[in-house]
Amino acid sequence: MVRIAVIPGDGISHEIMPEAVKTLETAHELYEFALDYEIFDYGVEHYLKTGSVVPEDIDDIITALPATFDAALFGAGGTDPRVPSGESAQAVLRGLRRGLDLYANVRPCRLLNDDLSPLKGKTSDDIDFVVIRENTEGYESGTGGNFKVGTPLESEIRPEYNTYGGVRRVIEFAFNFAEQQGRKQVAVAEKGLPNGLWSRVFEEVSAQHPAIEPRHVHVDTMAYLMITAPELIDIVVAENRAGDILSDVGGAIQGSRGLAPAGCFNAEKDFAYFEPVHGTAPDIIGQGIANPMAAIMAAKMMLDYKGHLEAADAIERAVRATIASGTVTSDLGGSSSTAQVGEAVRDALQRDAAN
Ligand code: NAI
Ligand code: MG
């Protein structure tokens, strides 16, 4: 049984998430796993109905999710022109990441079709790595604040807040992940002090995993390598903001960030959440042209997590077949709508199962 909390969020979330849910329903019919889900219409839809983007007790609602659900599927939280206050479903994101302490944000970067490669001469053999972004602290820890607000002396402190335990557990997660996935190398991408926390902890943890090659790469060099020599990259572990930036480089070299999924985990917990890497795409809201594939691939990652590997693999084959058929949205050079792409993926899933 897979019990999912579906939380679309803001912006294009309400266009792409229904396609991910319908794809899960088709997979559930074809591969006979039990599926149960509840939709929490937070974000702009909630605002239009109630005047607030999320319920007041959102933190408690999120904290209670693991008692009822195995996983959550989230769209994105962020600006939406229909919410003039600028309020957003980012509170959901904070609750899922920091509230539930899902500290390892796993972002696979794989080229699904050679024709999508924006890098000259690089194929799907070359572009296949995973960025593991620390998800609860670092530059996005929420610590710090503003002082003397509104005066010429206003100051802002936004520290990169790293703890020994926080750094250690995500690096351990990366090495364990590498071993489970049969990967050969883990690189830490950072630019702290030469003998700073990330470097020291990385050395400490890597010594316990002799079968995996450890590599220390400055984060700027890592961004450069992703574009010039992605074939040299295997698993990358990084501080919160550094990992966020690197995974967007990863999105670009997959052909579009509209393809890039993520899963957020805590090795000690039986609950994880899955999301596209992209945001609310304010420039294309309501046009029906957002690429639903990142959301669909996030749903696929969720089935992997729950052990429904056959169904998960079939969804990926269906996405690849749909890309190959040219039924793609404009970010991939096509002219199909969000709904047409979703339908094409489900048709491909049906055909795949019939073969
Ligand atoms: P964004 O990912 O929303 O959009 C950047 C560009 O990529 C835009 O041109 C957009 O149209 C395009 N794009 C994104 N997703 C697409 C898709 N599925 N199909 C086709 N094109 C797509 O990033 P941006 O503009 O930096 O942020 C917009 C808002 O989203 C902000 O409020 C930001 O805070 C929020 N955000 C939320 C995230 C989350 O909830 N996980 C992640 C990133 C941003
Ligand atoms: Mg991002």
Side-chain angles (χ1 to χ4, degrees):
M1 167 69 97
V2 188
R3 298 165 306 165
I4 323 165
V6 180
I7 313 177
D10 301 307
I12 57 166
S13 299
H14 291 272
E15 299 164 54
I16 57 169
M17 294 295 277
E19 301 306 328
V21 172
K22 283 190 247 170
T23 305
L24 278 175
E25 277 180 337
T26 303
H28 136 83
E29 281 156 23
L30 295 170
Y31 294 92
E32 292 174 3
F33 57 87
L35 175 72
D36 192 16
Y37 63 86
E38 185 179 335
I39 296 178
F40 296 79
D41 68 344
Y42 302 152
V44 65
E45 297 296 321
H46 197 265
Y47 175 85
L48 296 175
K49 274 188 231 145
T50 68
S52 74
V53 170
V54 290
E56 233 170 73
D57 55 344
I58 184 69
D59 289 342
D60 297 335
I61 293 173
I62 302 282
T63 315
L65 289 178
T68 315
F69 300 97
D70 301 309
L73 258 187
F74 178 59
T79 48
D80 186 310
R82 292 165 290 181
V83 186
S85 66
E87 241 192 306
S88 77
Q90 286 274 348
V92 175
L93 196 70
R94 276 195 301 277
L96 289 168
R97 291 183 182 175
R98 294 210 292 269
L100 293 177
D101 201 28
L102 301 175
Y103 61 82
N105 191 329
V106 175
R107 300 182 154 185
C109 172
R110 284 181 305 140
L111 187 65
L112 294 178
N113 183 307
D114 287 352
D115 291 343
L116 296 181
S117 177
L119 304 180
K120 197 161 94 187
K122 302 294 181 192
T123 68
S124 48
D125 291 336
D126 304 309
I127 302 175
D128 178 10
F129 57 82
V130 181
V131 175
I132 300 181
R133 164 189 181 187
E134 202 293 321
N135 217 22
T136 62
E137 46 183 60
Y139 194 73
E140 306 286 342
S141 68
T143 53
N146 292 51
F147 182 58
K148 295 187 183 174
V149 177
T151 77
L153 297 176
E154 177 168 352
S155 61
E156 182 173 83
I157 296 182
R158 195 175 173 186
E160 192 189 311
Y161 179 92
N162 296 306
T163 65
Y164 175 81
V167 172
R168 182 162 179 122
R169 65 184 183 173
V170 75
I171 293 176
E172 270 171 355
F173 186 99
F175 276 93
N176 291 332
F177 181 87
E179 282 163 2
Q180 283 153 16
Q181 303 283 315
R183 299 278 187 156
K184 304 275 181 284
Q185 182 198 85
V186 173
V188 64
E190 64 126 12
K191 209 166 182 181
L193 300 169
N195 196 28
L197 192 59
W198 274 86
S199 296
R200 275 184 287 125
V201 177
F202 187 70
E203 264 180 41
E204 216 175 278
V205 176
S206 64
Q208 294 172 348
H209 297 267
I212 304 286
E213 182 202 348
R215 198 163 167 213
H216 193 284
V217 183
H218 280 163
V219 61
D220 44 353
T221 302
M222 181 57 81
Y224 181 87
L225 274 182
M226 283 181 172
I227 288 166
T228 55
E231 67 279 7
L232 300 180
I233 306 171
D234 208 348
I235 306 291
V236 179
V237 62
E239 176 274 324
N240 207 330
R241 180 167 62 160
D244 190 21
I245 295 170
L246 289 176
S247 55
D248 259 13
V249 177
I253 63 174
Q254 285 173 78
S256 166
R257 62 182 8 175
L259 289 173
C264 300
F265 308 90
N266 177 323
E268 314 282 309
K269 292 196 179 183
D270 280 337
F271 183 88
Y273 94 91
F274 300 84
E275 60 178 354
V277 167
H278 64 73
T280 55
D283 52 332
I284 58 168
I285 290 174
Q287 297 178 30
I289 58 165
N291 189 346
M293 286 175 168
I296 291 171
M297 290 299 281
K300 177 257 174 201
M301 274 182 93
M302 192 203 60
L303 291 181
D304 271 330
Y305 168 69
K306 288 306 297 171
H308 298 293
L309 307 184
E310 208 193 342
D313 288 348
I315 290 179
E316 179 170 328
R317 282 195 302 275
V319 168
R320 286 177 188 267
T322 305
I323 295 170
S325 76
T327 306
V328 292
T329 42
S330 55
D331 56 312
L332 296 179
S335 57
S336 302
S337 68
T338 308
Q340 284 167 335
V341 171
E343 207 176 302
V345 171
R346 292 189 294 280
D347 286 349
L349 202 51
Q350 300 272 10
R351 281 198 307 277
D352 185 274
N355 277 327

